[in-house]
Amino acid sequence: MRLLQAATVVGFLALWELFARTPTAAKADMPGALESLGRLGELLLTGKYWAALGSTTGSWAVALTASIVMGVPAGLAIGRSRKVFDSTKWSIDFLRTIPSVAFIPLALLLMGRTQAMVIVVAVIPAVWPLVIQAIYAGQQADPMLGRVARSFRLTLADRIRYVLAPDVLAFIWPGLRLATTAALLVTVSAELIGGSRGIGSEIMNAQIYNRSATLYAWVLTACFLGLLINAVLAVLQRKLLWWHPSLRGKQR
Amino acid sequence: MTDTNKAAPEPLLHIDNLGFSYGEKEILRGLDAQIGTGELVCIVGPSGAGKTTLLQCLSGLRPATSGAVRFRGRPIAGPPAEMAVVFQDYSHSLMPWLSALDNVALPLKSAGLGKKERQQRALEALEEVGLAGSEQKYPWQLSGGMQQRVAIARALAYRPAVIVMDEPFASVDAQTRADLEDLTLRVRQHLDITVLLVTHDIDEAVYLSDRVMVLAGKPTTVADMITVDLGRERDQIETKADPRFAGLRSQVYRLIRRPDAADAALAASGR
Amino acid sequence: MKPTRNPWARTGAGLAWHLWLPVLLVAGSLLLSQQFSSHYFPPLRTIAEQTWVIWFDGGGMAENLLPSLLRLLAGFCAAVVAGVLLGTLLGLMPRTEEALRPLTDSFRAIPGAALLPIALMFFGTGEAMKIVLIAFISMWPIMLNTIDGVRSVNPTLGQVMESFKLRPLDRFWHIYLPAAAPQVFAGARTALAIGVAVMVVVEMFGTPGGLGYFIRHAQENFQVVAMWTGMLVLGVFGYLLNALFRAFEKRILNWHHAMVAHTQGASS
Ligand SMILES: Nc1ncnc2c1ncn2[C@@H]1O[C@H](COP(=O)(O)OP(=O)(O)OP(=O)(O)O)[C@@H](O)[C@H]1O
Ligand SMILES: [Mg+2]
């Protein structure tokens, strides 16, 4: 299967290379796979490449961390109380459906083309899935497990470590996965629209200056970054949630 | 029985030296049997003997590893159109998003029947199994016994020459079970269908069958084919009170137990 | 198990609990923005008035909202069709799916906006670019969920299809699609949110017309109030779309909801 998968990748690159030679592709100024990969290789040797990549990754990581720090406790608190849940339900339902990219122009006006602008905008879509899942966790985190813990007289630290945290994590996990992709999508969008340093603005610049091989090299970079993030999530899931019935044995 | 079979040139279903293995694991070896038109044959055997596997080979859902199954003289390759299956796992064999009626009618749609006709046939079949009035209900709104009757109705509406049933009454209460057994006998009588039914309830096998196919051994073979000469009319109380019933019952029981007894003897002598 | 108090009193109390915070928030921001309005945060009243002037009186609906809605619908529907078809095929061909996985994983990993310049080069700034990009980016969650959904069909149902000789089309419509429906809808909900985001981004870069275009244009010309009205309309747009989608989902999946309610009712 590994071999077949490798063949798929090679086949795709070959198709790309062939397609790049057609008139359609020529009109769109599309470089071949080899040229794009070659360009990516050259970029890898420049400090500018790593600075832009680091900037995007940094914005993404800060936005995600901030979303977790804000969203999870808030969601748990909301989920624990029926009254708080009822009170906040409609506000949350409304606020979370506003497309976060709508805030980019406002953020641009307020903060200019800064990394802070990108981070603020990326937090918006990332925080909601976490809040929602944390609310479920607060509502449903297995009360039976809590009773077991108490009856065995676990210490508070042990109870959090062995009982509460795994259970809550299982609830939060789907939200975390949505949050990571949403944060990355909006980070790149904000860079693209706002022009602050990062993959998004590099892509836009390459397009504006008609450097198509550079453009494709950056798109490949964005793809690899996304793949890397998904791979890390998959490893974490295997390490942390291998016991969970709905995730056991799942590949994705 | 073999005499009547000899009169016919080819039985409806001919199991010829059938063998089956899951990979290395040999389950069935050298099974031979012939089943005539209109017969009701029960297949009994211990759990894990390969009864479900055998039915899957007979109904074309699994290709045999060796030997062959012939249906009307032709080797089976894929499920024949004239055969309908009632699955052991009835709760998963019905589509939860379709009403009882639509569950019964769906195969008829695929068979190319018009909307009116399939409604008509499905309703008739549901009535036959005593579910008139529940046709708009979803499977999960029905009890286990009713779900099983929907599955039976689906097979009946398909108007097959052979119905193959895998432990159809295993998970219903005693009363429903008796009702469904009599339903099976009645339907067979009315529609003159050939029925193959797997069970591991010996009483049920003897009560229903014209002949009982007893499976035993490791790998499984046909231990015997027992003719049940209790007549076509059966009655839950009278038939079961018949001394011949008790005799047949213990005959089947001994056949199934024999390999175990042999094992035990072997183990004892080894010690 | 349920409390047997007067249902009206209960509904009233429930409504009050639901309402107080939104009311307080709106009232609070009305007051605050009146008192401390800055250039970037104009008073809510002004925004509300201008929303009326721009979007209802001035034809903003037809000029900028309708095009957005239509292209989102076109892109989203294309994504659903493509996602469900591909997902069903790949779900039924596990080996092919596994062989193609490096590609599907890569495509879904790309943060969609990164593809915008490529789409611009291929399709220009017009409608084709916008719709293709919306469809392409929002297709992936639908496809992946459809694969999982199709695989979740119980093996016994697989044998039912075989033994009763269901036609491929009947299998698709009556078995695979309904079985996968809960998962397909979950994927489509994600896809809709992604689709709206992509819609706004492509409109910001594409030809005039559309909510994204309007907001970006207002921002670039420092028409702060107009920008706010655009964000407001976009917010309501997103909210209504989501609500509509959920109502639709509930209708289509009514058997599913009824079944869940039924089985839970039986167990408790
Ligand atoms: N798909 C499979 N792959 C490998 N082994 C299998 C498979 N299905 C069944 N088996 C094995 O084959 C043997 C026979 O299984 P089968 O289901 O046919 O038995 P059965 O007689 O129907 O049992 P039961 O009375 O419990 O329904 C069992 O030992 C089982 O473990
Ligand atoms: Mg079985």
Side-chain angles (χ1 to χ4, degrees):
Chain A
M1 203 24 98
R2 291 256 160 231
L3 218 67
L4 215 57
Q5 290 183 334
T8 305
V9 174
V10 173
F12 174 75
L13 293 177
L15 265 182
W16 176 359
E17 195 64 46
L18 280 179
F19 180 68
R21 289 160 209 271
T22 63
T24 325
K27 254 204 347 241
D29 210 9
M30 186 193 201
L34 292 179
E35 193 187 343
S36 306
L37 285 171
R39 188 76 200 79
L40 179 60
E42 288 166 32
L43 281 177
L44 282 176
L45 303 175
T46 64
K48 209 174 137 235
Y49 176 88
W50 294 104
L53 183 57
S55 177
T56 298
T57 315
S59 305
W60 168 82
V62 172
L64 189 65
T65 311
S67 306
I68 295 171
V69 169
M70 293 189 299
V72 173
L76 285 175
I78 293 170
R80 292 301 333 171
S81 155
R82 178 74 210 212
K83 295 214 158 86
V84 179
F85 174 73
D86 281 351
S87 304
T88 50
K89 185 172 187 313
W90 287 357
S91 313
I92 291 178
D93 271 356
F94 180 73
L95 290 175
R96 78 188 168 105
T97 48
I98 301 177
S100 52
V101 281
F103 292 103
I104 295 176
L106 177 67
L108 261 178
L109 280 181
L110 291 175
M111 290 179 268
R113 322 180 140 203
T114 58
Q115 192 169 16
M117 178 278 286
V118 174
I119 293 172
V120 166
V121 179
V123 164
I124 299 169
V127 79
W128 294 119
L130 288 163
V131 169
I132 304 291
Q133 290 301 122
I135 289 178
Y136 290 147
Q139 283 173 340
Q140 300 172 19
D142 205 338
M144 188 62 204
L145 283 179
R147 256 175 265 138
V148 169
R150 237 172 295 132
S151 73
F152 286 107
R153 295 174 194 286
L154 296 187
T155 63
L156 184 66
D158 277 356
R159 233 191 281 171
I160 292 177
R161 165 85 176 72
Y162 293 108
V163 182
L164 192 63
D167 204 20
V168 167
L169 189 65
F171 272 101
I172 305 247
W173 195 256
L176 187 70
R177 299 188 54 145
L178 280 178
T180 51
T181 25
L184 188 62
L185 171 66
V186 174
T187 300
V188 174
S189 302
E191 291 166 355
L192 199 78
I193 296 167
S196 91
R197 193 176 66 183
I199 295 180
S201 56
E202 292 298 331
I203 287 176
M204 213 57 222
N205 286 338
Q207 198 240 341
I208 291 168
Y209 297 112
N210 248 332
R211 289 197 286 261
S212 66
T214 308
L215 166 60
Y216 279 77
W218 277 109
V219 173
L220 284 173
T221 305
C223 175
F224 293 149
L225 181 59
L227 279 174
L228 183 70
I229 289 171
N230 288 346
V232 170
L233 278 180
V235 169
L236 280 179
Q237 179 171 321
R238 257 203 311 281
K239 285 240 149 56
L240 296 174
L241 289 172
W242 51 270
W243 52 272
H244 196 268
S246 77
L247 304 170
R248 229 181 270 150
K250 275 239 171 138
Q251 306 260 335
R252 300 179 201 277
Chain B
M1 216 61 191
T2 33
D3 294 339
T4 54
N5 273 341
K6 259 178 207 152
E10 176 78 45
L12 186 68
L13 206 59
H14 191 151
I15 304 167
D16 186 9
N17 199 21
L18 178 79
F20 187 88
S21 313
Y22 286 110
E24 291 288 285
K25 197 164 145 205
E26 188 177 16
I27 308 286
L28 308 171
R29 179 188 287 176
L31 271 70
D32 283 306
Q34 308 187 353
I35 290 148
T37 307
E39 254 195 304
L40 199 163
V41 174
C42 282
I43 301 169
V44 290
S47 186
K51 302 183 295 291
T52 299
T53 309
L54 172 60
L55 276 198
Q56 286 175 347
C57 293
L58 294 183
S59 52
L61 290 167
R62 262 184 211 288
T65 330
S66 66
V69 178
R70 285 202 294 279
F71 181 64
R72 295 195 197 288
R74 247 174 277 132
I76 281 185
E82 285 175 283
M83 209 182 261
V85 183
V86 177
F87 290 87
Q88 178 169 9
D89 188 6
Y90 61 83
S91 64
H92 288 130
S93 88
L94 298 174
M95 290 135 245
W97 47 86
L98 295 182
S99 66
L101 185 72
D102 290 337
N103 261 291
V104 177
L106 181 58
L108 306 178
K109 180 167 187 279
S110 268
L113 264 64
K115 192 175 165 97
K116 258 224 169 107
E117 199 180 349
R118 37 181 213 264
Q119 294 275 73
Q120 180 67 30
R121 263 215 223 172
L123 277 172
E124 272 171 28
L126 283 167
E127 205 176 312
E128 178 87 51
V129 300
L131 280 180
S134 298
E135 58 273 347
Q136 290 310 334
K137 291 226 170 81
Y138 289 97
W140 35 271
Q141 294 173 316
L142 303 171
S143 70
M146 289 161 97
Q147 290 179 37
Q148 190 58 300
R149 276 185 273 172
V150 176
I152 296 173
R154 176 170 63 189
L156 292 178
Y158 200 58
R159 300 216 177 136
V162 184
I163 287 195
V164 172
M165 301 167 118
D166 192 359
E167 296 193 33
F169 319 133
S171 34
V172 297
D173 63 274
Q175 184 54 45
T176 313
R177 182 173 194 137
D179 291 347
L180 291 174
E181 285 169 4
D182 290 333
L183 167 71
T184 309
L185 287 171
R186 201 172 63 235
V187 158
R188 199 267 301 240
Q189 208 83 300
H190 280 189
L191 306 175
D192 203 29
I193 299 179
T194 307
V195 180
L196 278 175
L197 190 149
V198 161
T199 174
H200 47 218
D201 180 334
I202 297 171
D203 282 40
E204 179 170 279
V206 176
Y207 177 65
L208 291 173
S209 301
D210 298 324
R211 287 190 297 158
V212 181
M213 181 195 285
V214 185
L215 299 181
K218 225 168 184 89
T220 301
T221 53
V222 179
D224 201 357
M225 208 58 177
I226 298 172
T227 304
V228 180
D229 44 3
L230 295 171
R232 274 227 159 181
E233 293 294 324
R234 310 271 166 107
D235 181 274
Q236 288 284 357
I237 296 167
E238 278 172 27
T239 308
K240 288 182 179 171
D242 193 320
R244 281 175 299 170
F245 182 88
L248 288 161
R249 194 175 166 279
S250 46
Q251 194 185 346
V252 174
Y253 187 65
R254 273 197 298 275
L255 279 167
I256 293 179
R257 277 296 297 275
R258 198 171 51 199
D260 279 1
D263 281 352
L266 205 71
S269 68
R271 236 181 272 139
Chain C
M1 278 311 248
K2 290 195 175 119
T4 48
R5 271 183 294 146
N6 175 359
W8 284 106
R10 211 166 63 231
T11 333
L15 203 64
W17 275 110
H18 279 90
L19 267 176
W20 73 268
L21 188 65
V23 169
L24 193 77
L25 282 178
V26 172
S29 41
L30 261 174
L31 276 176
L32 279 179
S33 64
Q34 208 72 19
Q35 226 123 61
F36 306 97
S37 75
S38 71
H39 179 65
Y40 292 133
F41 291 92
L44 264 187
R45 261 195 58 194
T46 320
I47 296 176
E49 281 165 13
Q50 281 304 304
T51 304
W52 175 258
V53 172
I54 297 174
W55 292 91
F56 292 88
D57 247 8
M61 289 280 173
E63 196 183 329
N64 288 313
L65 185 66
L66 197 62
S68 282
L69 181 65
L70 291 180
R71 71 176 61 104
L72 180 67
L73 280 183
F76 180 69
C77 291
V80 170
V81 172
V84 168
L85 285 182
L86 280 175
T88 309
L89 282 178
L90 291 179
L92 294 179
M93 301 188 293
R95 289 189 59 82
T96 313
E97 190 268 329
E98 213 186 325
L100 290 178
R101 200 171 289 166
L103 290 188
T104 50
D105 276 355
S106 303
F107 274 116
R108 91 186 156 113
I110 302 177
L115 294 172
L116 174 74
I118 296 182
L120 284 171
M121 289 163 86
F122 269 96
F123 300 102
T125 52
E127 213 56 49
M129 176 277 287
K130 297 175 192 172
I131 293 175
V132 165
L133 213 55
I134 293 172
F136 185 79
I137 297 171
S138 53
M139 179 186 83
W140 300 102
I142 303 178
M143 190 189 92
L144 293 175
N145 275 33
T146 308
I147 292 177
D148 279 350
V150 164
R151 299 230 170 117
S152 73
V153 168
N154 190 282
T156 304
L157 270 191
Q159 295 193 332
V160 169
M161 290 187 265
E162 290 273 309
S163 73
F164 286 100
K165 298 198 160 297
L166 295 198
R167 287 183 303 214
L169 212 60
D170 285 335
R171 291 179 190 208
F172 177 72
W173 279 114
H174 298 291
I175 312 273
Y176 289 120
L177 205 52
Q183 307 221 46
V184 172
F185 270 102
R189 223 182 301 130
T190 312
L192 187 61
I194 295 177
V196 174
V198 175
M199 175 197 88
V200 174
V201 175
V202 294
E203 286 176 348
M204 286 180 172
F205 288 92
T207 46
L211 285 164
Y213 171 80
F214 178 87
I215 295 173
R216 182 85 197 274
H217 188 74
Q219 176 244 325
E220 282 176 339
N221 294 294
F222 296 98
Q223 299 164 336
V224 177
V225 177
M227 184 189 80
W228 273 97
T229 69
M231 288 170 56
L232 184 67
V233 171
L234 182 56
V236 174
F237 176 81
Y239 181 77
L240 288 181
L241 266 180
N242 195 47
L244 269 176
F245 182 83
R246 282 185 181 260
F248 179 68
E249 172 178 354
K250 207 164 171 177
R251 254 192 87 90
I252 299 285
L253 287 186
N254 60 7
W255 68 266
H256 187 254
H257 297 301
M259 179 171 78
V260 170
H262 185 91
T263 44
Q264 279 173 355
S267 68
S268 70

